């Protein structure tokens, strides 16, 4: 049986005594792929480390509504940085939970909504699917989702507990339905009725382990291996075999979270004498002029990624780098979000005598929380840094950065950070070109001079030809 647990909390302390055994037991019953849902800034970090140890484990990063008993936006400060990590495939779990727990501070709807809104905005910028937790707050959850959308990457209503009406609204928004242990509970007739109606291509299976064990394990710690029971229950109520249901729901999970190892997409593309490398569709800015909002095509190439390429795949795809004038990391996304992969590929290109250029928004130090230039020495020949304006206020208005690793910086601070990146790159002896999209509403005249002061070259770009390679 091929099963994917799309919602598990393996970093939870409940698994401290036997985490490896739990993951092995899951593998033994066919659960070889899992998505660890984020809940707190600390849990997001811990999950990130686990994904490095276990090849089949992917992560989502997000801050749960329970973390907002009061207005505390500082809890979101690290999230942009966490969304840039390798193997992060979703933003979540986020949402609204108005349930009153006896031993918990009362819910603060206004605080939860503010946090939910901010995280929805990040999901849009980073182009990640959402994992949404809703309890006793369905109307607000849908209203804010519509207000902040559209979300073409969709998402999942995890631990779905609604009836048929809510189901129709979720489906209309393009969302998936996450089904866990509660489907086996004796009182869950309304849920089972809704699940009989849900289209097969929108169902996902999950455990939410260590929480919400299925009926046979109630009161005990839940584990990802228990997803078999969920699969059997859902298959029975839909009148299909567990194997068919498992295959269908796993295909759904791979589609939503872009996990399919057989999807390749356009990882590299050659135009004239340059080879371009398309590392990611995630980005840390939301530029008003970005052509990706309209189309992902560059000439005959569609740069929409069904999953992010691995370093070894790119090295094979590049072949002999000397066959090209240069290898350019660009694409509709920020390549430096995938710093480790970029460096592995650049190292291979340099070892084979190629030239490397990186087209970037220059926000890497803010996102990774450190100066990344020392890592790049000898591996990158040229930086092409899109600054767009010499004016910090205007930068905030047109580039709309998501924020940095340690604080959701205002645009003017991000602008200062990009200038520092340019200065430090020049000081380290890299060739640096500052670029700007020459929009009518931007006064770009100050930029060539600013670039020269910083010791960098300047290249203006015509808005109509964005996404196209330069001559
Ligand atoms: Zn959860």
């Amino acid at each position: 049986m091929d099963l994917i647990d799309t919602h598990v909390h393996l970093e939870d302390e409940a698994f401290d005594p036997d985490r490896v055994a739990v993951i092995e037991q899951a593998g033994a019953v066919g659960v070889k792929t899992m998505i660890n849902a984020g809940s707190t800034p600390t849990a997001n970090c811990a999950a990130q480390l686990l994904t490095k140890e276990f090849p089949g484990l992917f992560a989502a990063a997000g801050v749960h509504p329970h973390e907002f008993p009061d207005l505390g936006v500082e809890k979101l400060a690290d999230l942009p940085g966490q969304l840039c990590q390798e193997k992060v495939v979703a933003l979540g779990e986020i949402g609204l939970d108005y349930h009153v727990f006896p031993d918990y501070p009362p819910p603060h709807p206004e605080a939860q909504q503010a946090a939910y809104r901010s995280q929805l905005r990040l999901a849009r910028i980073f182009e990640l699917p959402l994992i949404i937790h809703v309890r006793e707050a369905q109307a607000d959850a849908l209203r804010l989702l519509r207000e902040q959308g559209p979300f073409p990457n969709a998402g999942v209503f995890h631990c779905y507990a609604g009836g048929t009406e809510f189901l129709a609204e979720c489906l209309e928004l393009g969302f998936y339905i996450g089904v866990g242990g509660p489907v086996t509970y004796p009182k869950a007739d309304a849920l089972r009725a809704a699940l009989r109606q849900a289209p097969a291509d929108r169902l996902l299976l999950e455990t939410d382990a260590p929480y919400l064990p299925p009926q046979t394990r109630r009161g005990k710690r839940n584990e990802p291996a228990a997803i078999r029971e969920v699969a059997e229950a859902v298959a029975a109520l839909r009148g299909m075999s567990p194997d068919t249901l498992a295959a269908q729901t796993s295909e759904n999970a791979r589609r939503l979270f872009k996990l399919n190892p057989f999807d390749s997409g356009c990882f590299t593309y050659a135009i004239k004498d340059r080879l371009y490398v398309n590392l990611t569709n995630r980005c840390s800015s939301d530029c008003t002029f970005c052509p990706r909002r309209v189309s992902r095509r560059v000439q005959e190439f569609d740069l929409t990624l069904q999953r992010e390429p691995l370093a070894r795949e790119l090295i094979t795809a590049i072949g002999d780098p000397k066959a090209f004038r240069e290898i350019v990391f660009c694409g509709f996304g920020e390549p430096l979000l995938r710093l480790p992969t970029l460096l592995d590929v650049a190292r291979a290109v340099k070892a084979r005598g190629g030239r490397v250029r990186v087209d970037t928004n220059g926000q890497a130090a803010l996102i990774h929380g450190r100066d990344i230039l020392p890592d790049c020495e000898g591996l990158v020949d040229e930086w092409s840094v899109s600054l767009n304006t010499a004016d910090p206020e205007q930068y905030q208005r047109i580039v709309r950065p998501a924020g940095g690793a340690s604080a959701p910086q205002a645009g003017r601070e991000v602008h200062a950070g990009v200038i520092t990146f340019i200065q430090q790159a020049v000081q380290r002896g890299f060739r640096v070109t500052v670029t700007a999209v020459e929009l009518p509403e931007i006064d770009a005249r100050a930029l060539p001079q600013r670039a020269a002061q910083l010791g960098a070259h300047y290249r203006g770009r015509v808005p109509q030809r964005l996404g196209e390679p330069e001559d």
Side-chain angles (χ1 to χ4, degrees):
M1 213 185 270
D2 165 33
L3 289 158
I4 296 183
D5 189 345
T6 58
H7 194 114
V8 63
H9 298 276
L10 283 170
E11 90 299 334
D12 194 284
E13 61 184 12
F15 295 117
D16 283 353
D18 57 349
R19 188 167 286 112
V20 175
V22 165
I23 293 171
E24 281 170 2
Q25 279 155 17
V29 299
V31 193
K32 295 203 163 55
T33 304
M34 292 182 265
I35 296 171
N36 203 90
S39 49
T40 69
T42 321
N44 293 340
C45 279
Q48 186 57 43
L49 293 175
L50 285 180
T51 63
K52 290 190 168 68
E53 270 176 73
F54 301 99
L57 184 64
F58 295 83
V63 185
H64 193 281
H66 284 166
E67 295 302 304
F68 300 95
D70 44 47
L71 288 163
V73 280
E74 68 282 353
K75 288 208 170 133
L76 298 177
D78 291 338
L79 193 54
Q82 290 169 342
L83 293 172
C84 299
Q85 303 300 315
E86 291 284 306
K87 294 181 87 178
V88 167
V89 295
L91 193 151
E93 63 188 286
I94 64 166
L96 301 174
D97 190 332
Y98 299 165
H99 186 73
V100 179
F101 294 89
D103 49 356
Y104 223 77
H108 190 316
E110 192 195 343
Q112 290 190 13
Q113 288 180 24
Y116 182 50
R117 246 196 216 100
S118 304
Q119 295 185 87
L120 289 176
R121 172 178 166 265
L122 288 177
R124 224 181 41 237
I125 297 175
F126 282 89
E127 302 209 352
L128 288 167
L130 287 154
I131 297 176
I132 299 184
H133 168 108
V134 187
R135 190 167 180 186
E136 297 168 26
Q138 293 173 352
D140 283 350
L142 290 174
R143 179 174 55 77
L144 292 178
L145 201 55
R146 290 209 167 90
E147 176 194 301
Q148 299 288 313
F151 293 94
N153 298 290
V156 55
F157 281 90
H158 120 80
C159 191
Y160 185 81
T164 48
E165 257 172 65
F166 185 52
L167 177 74
E169 303 215 53
C170 299
L171 294 172
E172 189 213 311
L173 286 165
F175 275 63
Y176 290 65
I177 306 299
V179 191
V183 70
T184 63
Y185 297 173
K187 287 185 183 160
D189 287 332
L191 169 62
R192 283 186 285 269
L195 292 179
R196 267 187 211 104
Q197 288 184 19
D201 62 357
R202 296 285 190 88
L203 287 175
L204 301 177
L205 301 181
E206 61 173 58
T207 59
D208 206 11
Y211 311 107
L212 294 176
Q215 186 63 22
T216 58
R217 305 161 81 108
R218 278 187 103 165
K220 291 192 212 138
R221 179 183 76 174
N222 196 8
E223 293 177 10
I227 203 166
R228 270 190 92 101
E229 252 179 83
V230 177
E232 280 158 13
V234 178
L237 74 92
R238 294 177 64 94
M240 60 205 293
S241 79
D243 282 301
T244 311
L245 180 92
Q248 171 80 62
T249 51
S250 295
E251 187 190 321
N252 299 345
R254 292 191 176 99
R255 184 187 323 116
L256 176 63
F257 298 110
K258 299 187 163 64
L259 300 172
N260 195 337
F262 303 110
D263 278 335
S264 54
C266 185
F267 292 163
T268 60
Y269 53 103
I271 297 178
K272 294 185 190 159
D273 49 3
R274 291 185 173 88
L275 186 72
Y276 295 84
V277 180
N278 185 17
L279 269 180
T280 183
N281 285 155
R282 288 182 281 167
C283 190
S284 57
S285 298
D286 188 20
C287 301
T288 50
F289 51 82
C290 183
R292 71 181 174 145
R293 301 276 168 248
V294 183
S295 162
R296 296 302 166 83
R297 294 192 84 83
V298 172
Q299 299 194 355
E300 70 268 39
F301 308 105
D302 181 356
L303 302 191
T304 307
L305 289 170
Q306 293 311 313
R307 77 179 162 87
E308 296 188 337
L310 305 170
R312 60 177 158 75
E313 293 173 314
L314 292 171
I315 293 165
T316 309
I318 291 167
D320 176 11
K322 291 200 297 301
F324 303 95
R325 175 157 144 194
E326 59 185 355
I327 308 297
V328 184
F329 291 86
C330 64
F332 287 126
E334 169 52 44
L336 287 175
L337 297 193
R338 300 199 62 208
L339 183 65
T341 304
L342 186 150
L343 293 177
D344 284 350
V345 178
R347 194 171 291 114
V349 170
K350 294 306 292 174
R352 294 181 199 176
R355 183 178 197 276
V356 172
R357 189 181 99 202
V358 178
D359 291 2
T360 175
N361 61 21
Q363 298 169 9
L366 297 170
I367 281 167
H368 295 292
R370 65 188 175 85
D371 179 9
I372 59 123
L373 287 164
D375 306 30
C376 304
E377 271 183 27
L379 303 181
V380 174
D381 297 287
E382 179 174 358
W383 300 102
S384 178
V385 184
S386 136
L387 182 61
N388 292 306
T389 169
D391 173 27
E393 304 297 337
Q394 194 162 51
Y395 187 83
Q396 169 66 16
R397 279 199 305 281
I398 62 169
V399 176
R400 303 189 294 187
S406 55
Q409 286 101 333
R412 52 164 45 247
E413 289 168 63
V414 176
H415 187 262
V418 176
I419 295 208
T420 305
F421 179 83
I422 294 166
Q423 277 170 330
Q424 290 178 339
V426 169
Q427 275 160 18
R428 285 186 181 273
F430 291 100
R431 181 184 163 89
V432 183
T433 302
V434 168
T435 69
V437 177
E438 294 179 335
L439 297 166
E441 66 268 32
I442 300 176
D443 185 6
R445 281 173 302 182
L447 259 189
Q449 202 192 345
R450 189 81 177 94
Q453 278 169 1
L454 294 166
H457 304 262
Y458 174 78
R459 183 161 54 87
R461 309 184 64 195
V462 185
Q464 293 76 23
R465 296 193 50 204
L466 273 186
E468 282 181 36
E470 69 275 36
D471 298 319

